[in-house]
Amino acid sequence: MALDPQAANVIDLIVKSGRPPYHQLTPKDARQMFRETRPASTPPAPQIGAVRDVLTEGAQAIPLRVYRPPGVSDSRRLPVLVYFHGGGWVIGDLETHDVLCRQLTAEAGVSVIAVDYRLAPEHKFPAAADDAWAATRWIAAHAAELGVDADRLAVGGDSAGGNLAAVVALLAREAGGPRIALQILLYPVTDLVSESQSYADLADGYMLTRDSMRWFRAQYLAKEQDAADWRVCRRRWSSPPATTRCVTRAKPTRGGCGRRA
Amino acid sequence: MSVDAVSFGGMIHGFVPMGRLIDTAFRGVSLITGSLRQALR
């Protein structure tokens, strides 16, 4: 697998740093390492408008961060992207993906609402999926006070967050709403039932390793049978809404791909 | 239902937020924001 030189440089930097792989850490330490190392690869944050943290109401209060583009009045209801961060359902939070959410807000001119769903292993499957769905419904129900338009709502996420976005889109279809206009899946995790050939071909040396992927899976699933649940098994997915799917060639969970960028 | 699946050759998992080190990350962001603008207009 020929890596882009800049991508190869990222891996070289990680190797030279001597930092341990995630699967050799406790979840708590893995979260801390992710949080601390993130800024080294993150670009400067663009200027945007208001940013505020809110909590959903209900039995399980879920922290959200609401971003608005610059130069937009508070009264104007904007299209909204509900965003779920990546991190194997174990690591990541509102801070680790703050700059990306600001980039999306500034460049798309929409409101982005990031969801701080519960993490494993303290909260096993399907807690993250439950939170993602509950947060999306709450956002749609409280669109006016959040300054967004529930009729122009997209969901998206990277890695495990891509999995959650896909689950939310399918749940919304089954429930008859909220209407999801678009799902954005960045190198999503779509199958925990079995390991594809790429788990062997790209097991190590390409950022996300086979052993770390197995570790994330073990942290998330409560029991082995959970791997067959439709929420982590794309073979049981059908008729999703409009989708933009961005994938990479060099990772263990690589699947089928469309056109190349 | 339309699906636009884009493969970024030579990239690593998690590259989109890595704009400080990987120029292609910005292409990933632009892909997302272009899709959002088109779908949510």
Side-chain angles (χ1 to χ4, degrees):
Chain A
M1 173 60 61
L3 282 177
D4 173 273
Q6 290 184 318
N9 182 55
V10 170
I11 292 173
D12 286 344
L13 290 172
I14 292 170
V15 171
K16 287 174 183 169
S17 75
R19 78 184 206 195
Y22 289 118
H23 66 271
Q24 292 179 5
L25 297 172
T26 65
K28 181 181 176 185
D29 288 344
R31 287 172 198 147
Q32 183 176 346
M33 186 173 80
F34 189 44
R35 208 176 292 124
E36 290 177 353
T37 58
R38 191 75 162 171
S41 62
T42 301
Q47 289 292 318
I48 62 170
V51 178
R52 65 183 173 121
D53 290 344
V54 299
L55 275 177
T56 66
E57 298 147 343
Q60 180 65 48
I62 304 164
L64 308 174
R65 181 166 292 172
V66 183
Y67 302 83
R68 289 178 71 83
V72 176
S73 69
D74 292 344
S75 61
R76 185 175 162 200
R77 293 176 69 166
L78 297 170
V80 58
L81 168 66
V82 181
Y83 193 82
F84 309 104
H85 69 77
W89 306 280
V90 178
I91 63 178
D93 53 35
L94 296 179
E95 300 304 326
T96 59
H97 286 65
D98 182 71
V99 172
L100 177 62
C101 288
R102 289 171 187 266
Q103 289 179 278
L104 299 177
T105 301
E107 198 169 315
V110 304
S111 179
V112 174
I113 302 182
V115 179
D116 197 14
Y117 56 86
R118 287 174 293 168
L119 299 176
E122 294 89 341
H123 305 282
K124 292 279 193 177
F125 173 88
D130 287 346
D131 284 2
W133 175 228
T136 304
R137 283 184 298 153
W138 190 88
I139 290 165
H142 295 78
E145 63 195 77
L146 294 167
V148 300
D149 181 355
D151 292 327
R152 292 183 291 168
L153 187 151
V155 295
D158 57 292
S159 192
N163 163 266
L164 297 175
V167 168
V168 166
L170 291 166
L171 284 169
R173 184 197 63 188
E174 293 303 312
R179 180 181 168 272
I180 308 296
L182 175 71
Q183 59 174 343
I184 295 172
L185 313 179
L186 307 179
Y187 26 83
V189 184
T190 58
D191 194 348
L192 293 181
V193 173
S194 58
E195 295 185 355
S196 62
Q197 183 60 38
S198 57
Y199 272 79
D201 296 342
L202 306 168
D204 202 7
Y206 297 100
M207 193 76 176
L208 178 61
T209 68
R210 177 182 58 194
D211 289 344
S212 286
M213 194 58 214
R214 287 175 175 172
W215 182 79
F216 285 125
R217 180 186 188 277
Q219 304 304 312
Y220 186 42
L221 300 183
K223 54 188 184 299
E224 186 56 33
Q225 297 92 308
D226 288 341
D229 187 283
W230 72 268
R231 287 165 287 191
V232 287
C233 180
R234 72 165 180 260
R235 281 168 261 180
R236 298 187 178 191
W237 298 356
S238 61
S239 302
T243 304
T244 294
R245 184 166 182 252
C246 161
V247 297
T248 63
R249 304 297 295 178
K251 68 166 185 171
T253 57
R254 185 183 72 192
C257 301
R259 71 178 169 88
R260 300 202 176 192
Chain B
M1 183 267 296
S2 67
V3 176
D4 191 10
V6 183
S7 175
F8 287 79
M11 284 295 112
I12 51 177
H13 188 72
F15 77 96
V16 171
M18 297 182 179
R20 186 180 294 274
L21 301 175
I22 299 176
D23 293 339
T24 304
F26 294 107
R27 287 172 47 211
V29 170
S30 293
L31 170 71
I32 300 166
T33 55
S35 297
L36 285 170
R37 284 195 302 269
Q38 186 172 16
L40 301 181
R41 63 189 171 200

